[in-house]
Amino acid sequence: MRLLIDECVDESLRLLFPDHECQTARYANMAGLKNGFLLDAAQAAGFDVLITVDQSIPDQQNLAGRSISLLMLWAPTNRLRDLEQLVPAAHSALRSIGRGDVVRIRAAPEF
């Protein structure tokens, strides 16, 4: 599966998906593209999933009919140490994610 890591995500996250072809937006020459343009470019480049922490994309963009899916990580911060805790659930979600799906993975609340 081809994964694109959004530029608002620590680029080292790509190393935690060794079973997938994973690139960062910067490496794929898509840095600076806003949500709709990023989705268009990523889909045209053949990416299957955009991994992001940007929670506004589903409200701004309609993914129905798209071949690219969205995997949204919700953690206390965007730091790698917080995001890496979500990676096991992300791997699980990738096994069943469908075209145009939006999957949200949230960190367990701390009490």
Side-chain angles (χ1 to χ4, degrees):
M1 184 172 287
R2 294 192 72 211
L3 310 177
L4 181 66
I5 305 289
D6 198 354
E7 68 182 311
C8 56
V9 178
D10 187 308
E11 290 187 345
S12 296
L13 188 73
R14 70 181 168 74
L15 301 174
L16 302 178
F17 293 92
D19 297 337
H20 301 279
E21 182 183 336
C22 192
Q23 291 184 20
T24 63
R26 184 177 60 84
Y27 185 80
N29 292 320
M30 295 182 198
L33 295 178
K34 298 300 176 199
N35 298 340
F37 295 111
L38 177 60
L39 287 169
D40 290 342
Q43 183 171 295
F47 285 98
D48 300 300
V49 178
L50 172 64
I51 299 176
T52 187
V53 295
D54 185 344
Q55 308 305 316
S56 65
I57 294 176
D59 296 329
Q60 298 171 354
Q61 305 297 320
N62 182 2
L63 271 76
R66 286 193 178 266
S67 62
I68 193 165
S69 302
L70 189 63
L71 182 62
M72 299 170 52
L73 304 177
W74 290 20
T77 72
N78 292 353
R79 292 184 179 161
L80 183 61
R81 70 170 188 243
D82 289 328
L83 294 175
E84 68 187 352
Q85 296 174 24
L86 305 178
V87 169
H91 281 283
S92 179
L94 289 172
R95 286 193 285 276
S96 62
I97 198 166
R99 294 175 154 227
D101 284 354
V102 176
V103 176
R104 294 172 177 88
I105 299 176
R106 299 176 191 237
E110 294 182 18
F111 295 99

